Amino acid sequence: MVRRGGPVAALLGRFQHPAQVITTGFAAAVLVGTVLLSSPLASASAEPTDWITALFTATSAVCVTGLVIVDTGGHWSAFGEAVIALLIQVGGLGIMTLATVFTLLISGRLGLRARLFAQAETKSLTAGDLRRIVRNVVLFSLFSEAVVAVILTLRFLLGYGEPFGRALYLGVFHAVSAFNNAGFALWPDSLTRFATDPWICLTIAAAVVVGGLGFPVLFELRRSWRHPGRWSLLTRITVGMTVILLLIGTLVFLAAEWSNPRTLGALSDDDKVLAGFFTAVMPRTAGFNSLDIASMTPSSLLVTDVLMFIGGGTAGTAGGIKVTTFGVLAFVVWAEMRGEPRVTIGHRQLTSATQRQAITIAAMSMGLVAVSTYVLLVLTPHTLDQVLFEVVSAFGTVGLSTGITAAVTPAGHLLLTVLMFVGRIGPVTLGSALALKERTRRYELPEERMIIG
């Protein structure tokens, strides 16, 4: 007999699929955030905020995106900013991870169904000891944010003369925002004023990369970072693709923007390299920017679109289709070009289910981006470059923008809200949540080959 894991697990038992709980949990967090942010207490003017702005901001925070309609540091009060930081933390850790922690606190035990739900959110490769996994996720997240907060606080205190209270506030807020790949900043120009400050830029970039790798990868690296030959396929692809994309992104941005007087052109050579690297890190789905995005060349915008669409690692705080999906597709193409019947990586063979999942996620994501871009082009007077950038940024839960977010129509804001929500929980997760039940076929049909291309 399977023992129930307490009140939370009993509540989760009402659902037929973990995806339904994940979707419901994120929707509930967005709803609560919308109510709190629409109250007069949340705005600096002590006036209620319209529900579209509140909904957009709450979704952007819970889905750790960073797109904003109003200036975060100017429009919201200290209470409103605290609500945003809390929503970012909730979205970063994951609704199901928090629900598992609450179950442990209430009942001291974890039922089988709750274990499966937690596994779906944390992307654990085995059911194993979910108590230890969830505890490690929470502790590592809080520890990482604390380290980043200390460094940023000291920099704001000693380097910019901020009072200790203000420096601590800035440090904690941006540490939470950076590690969770949210990209919310308390300055209207994001981090452009710190473009030449390595203490600020490199600290935030490191937090973004670590948070975006994914917890399973981080835990495996902690255990066997000295022995790459023992790494799983997940870790190999995540680390390898992350390094490759960061290197390519940095080189492309440096080449495209080196002489652009509105971006890198006015900086020294060392500062150009720093700003170029920072700009390459942020499309991993953190919406900070140290350069004016609207002033970047079309080629840089296109590369940023691609990097935002790919995103970061599985089970991390980053969005996008994930570097694992992109890596699997690359190996599928390589195997097909070589005429090999099986897709292999190193000394491992990829299952057909993994290949189908990668193709499904990529195809659904590209279709959603294409349709949303068309709709937003109809709803707004902006150019294709600007609209495509905004759509990919919302779907990839990135938060970068060419500056058109506030100028989009209310209908466009609702569309971007849906994109952020879908981009956070994933197209396949959303589809599974909407399905009443999983369907299995109990028979096989005859095969037939057809010509492709």
Side-chain angles (χ1 to χ4, degrees):
M1 178 181 293
V2 177
R3 300 178 63 185
R4 295 185 179 274
V8 177
L11 178 62
L12 299 182
R14 298 176 180 271
F15 295 88
Q16 299 298 318
H17 196 284
Q20 293 177 317
V21 184
I22 295 172
T23 304
T24 304
F26 273 94
V30 169
L31 178 61
V32 173
T34 301
V35 173
L36 292 176
L37 291 178
S38 63
S39 69
L41 289 175
S43 68
S45 63
E47 296 291 334
T49 300
D50 66 277
W51 72 271
I52 291 183
T53 300
L55 173 64
F56 188 95
T57 305
T59 305
S60 183
V62 172
C63 298
V64 290
T65 304
L67 285 176
V68 294
I69 299 177
V70 295
D71 175 32
T72 303
H75 177 83
W76 304 108
S77 64
F79 173 78
E81 292 171 1
V83 169
I84 292 173
L86 180 60
L87 293 176
I88 292 172
Q89 188 72 79
V90 169
L93 286 177
I95 297 298
M96 286 318 305
T97 303
L98 293 178
T100 305
V101 173
F102 294 153
T103 302
L104 293 173
L105 292 176
I106 293 173
S107 64
R109 61 184 184 275
L110 190 61
L112 177 60
R113 183 177 293 272
R115 286 175 181 264
L116 295 177
F117 289 150
Q119 182 183 6
E121 172 60 22
T122 61
K123 304 296 190 304
S124 307
L125 299 182
T126 60
D129 186 1
L130 264 296
R131 295 189 184 190
R132 177 177 54 83
I133 292 175
V134 172
R135 182 180 68 248
N136 289 342
V137 167
V138 175
L139 291 179
F140 181 82
S141 299
L142 296 179
F143 174 78
S144 300
E145 292 171 358
V147 171
V148 174
V150 169
I151 297 174
L152 293 180
T153 298
L154 290 176
R155 185 56 179 168
F156 290 131
L157 178 67
L158 303 177
Y160 295 92
E162 295 283 358
F164 176 76
R166 176 65 176 173
L168 179 63
Y169 181 78
L170 293 174
V172 171
F173 184 93
H174 291 93
V176 172
S177 184
F179 180 79
N180 291 289
N181 280 220
F184 279 84
L186 296 179
W187 299 279
D189 57 354
S190 190
L191 300 180
T192 56
R193 64 187 64 193
F194 306 111
T196 60
D197 188 334
W199 285 98
I200 301 293
C201 291
L202 292 181
T203 300
I204 288 182
V208 168
V209 172
V210 172
L213 283 177
F215 298 117
V217 172
L218 290 171
F219 292 155
E220 185 170 357
L221 289 177
R222 185 184 64 178
R223 293 192 305 267
S224 57
W225 65 274
R226 295 182 179 180
H227 307 283
R230 301 178 185 175
W231 294 354
S232 65
L233 282 184
L234 173 64
T235 299
R236 292 182 186 182
I237 293 179
T238 301
V239 174
M241 293 304 304
T242 296
V243 173
I244 291 173
L245 292 176
L246 289 179
L247 179 61
I248 292 177
T250 301
L251 294 177
V252 169
F253 287 130
L254 288 177
E257 303 294 331
W258 190 271
S259 301
N260 186 346
R262 296 182 297 174
T263 54
L264 295 181
L267 304 178
S268 66
D269 290 350
D270 291 342
D271 291 338
K272 287 179 180 179
V273 174
L274 173 63
F277 173 74
F278 188 84
T279 304
V281 171
M282 291 308 111
R284 288 184 57 79
T285 77
F288 297 108
N289 61 281
S290 63
L291 300 177
D292 182 11
I293 301 296
S295 300
M296 294 172 65
T297 62
S299 59
S300 294
L301 293 178
L302 178 60
V303 171
T304 306
D305 287 336
V306 174
L307 294 176
M308 291 192 300
F309 185 76
I310 296 173
T314 301
T317 54
I321 65 171
K322 310 298 186 182
V323 293
T324 47
T325 302
F326 182 75
V328 167
L329 292 177
F331 280 102
V332 169
V333 172
W334 178 245
E336 189 64 27
M337 292 178 63
R338 298 180 62 183
E340 296 182 354
R342 299 288 184 269
V343 179
T344 59
I345 304 177
H347 299 289
R348 297 289 190 273
Q349 178 178 304
L350 285 181
T351 65
S352 58
T354 301
Q355 299 172 46
R356 289 196 306 269
Q357 185 179 18
I359 293 172
T360 301
I361 291 176
M364 291 179 64
S365 300
M366 288 189 291
L368 182 60
V369 168
V371 172
S372 300
T373 300
Y374 173 80
V375 173
L376 199 58
L377 278 172
V378 174
L379 295 176
T380 66
H382 303 294
T383 64
L384 176 60
D385 282 350
Q386 294 172 317
V387 170
L388 177 62
F389 194 97
E390 200 80 7
V391 167
V392 176
S393 180
F395 171 77
T397 67
V398 182
L400 295 174
S401 175
T402 58
I404 69 171
T405 309
V408 172
T409 62
H413 287 148
L414 293 178
L415 173 62
L416 293 175
T417 300
V418 173
L419 280 173
M420 289 188 289
F421 188 83
V422 173
R424 178 61 182 96
I425 64 175
V428 174
T429 301
L430 179 61
S432 300
L434 296 178
L436 294 176
K437 62 179 179 179
E438 294 182 348
R439 296 175 174 85
T440 57
R441 177 172 292 178
R442 302 181 182 277
Y443 58 89
E444 295 292 337
L445 297 175
E447 292 185 353
E448 179 178 350
R449 287 188 65 90
M450 60 181 294
I451 299 175
I452 301 297

